[in-house]
Amino acid sequence: MTTEAKIQLTSTELGTLWMEYISLSGRIRFYDSFKDKTIDKEAQYILTTVGTEMRNIQNEIVSIFNNQKVVIPIGFTEQDIVKEAPPLFDDLFNIMFLR
């Protein structure tokens, strides 16, 4: 019979996850905004795919926070973006920004 020990994350590990969560929430808003303003269909597909992958990573971080019983940070939200704003850059910039 084996028992599983629950290993707590260190404060450094939690801090790194916390920063990554905030960073991801901001980048997701960037890419959503880029996707909405992009004309090129292939660029839209790339931005949609990257946004989906980032959301999956963010959800994994949330599940780690829940397992560790850590407060989930307040990241960037839809309210932080002005959707009516015109695009500042062309479609090529949006893809190059991913790099």
Side-chain angles (χ1 to χ4, degrees), residues 35-72:
K35 180 186 61 150
D36 293 342
K37 307 283 188 211
T38 298
I39 298 168
D40 184 359
K41 296 296 181 193
E42 186 175 356
Q44 283 180 339
Y45 174 76
I46 292 169
L47 291 165
T48 301
T49 303
V50 169
T52 301
E53 290 176 11
M54 290 182 144
R55 281 184 180 81
N56 291 339
I57 293 169
Q58 192 177 37
N59 290 337
E60 287 180 35
I61 293 173
V62 167
S63 71
I64 291 170
F65 285 155
N66 287 334
N67 289 339
Q68 295 289 315
K69 295 182 176 52
V70 175
V71 176
I72 298 171

Side-chain angles (χ1 to χ4, degrees), residues 80-96:
D80 295 319
I81 301 292
V82 178
K83 294 201 182 253
E84 297 80 28
L88 294 176
F89 306 104
D90 63 359
D91 293 352
L92 180 61
F93 174 83
N94 298 344
I95 299 303
M96 293 303 291

Side-chain angles (χ1 to χ4, degrees), residues 14 23 25 29 58 64 73 86:
L14 286 173
S23 176
S25 69
R29 301 302 159 235
Q58 192 177 37
I64 291 170

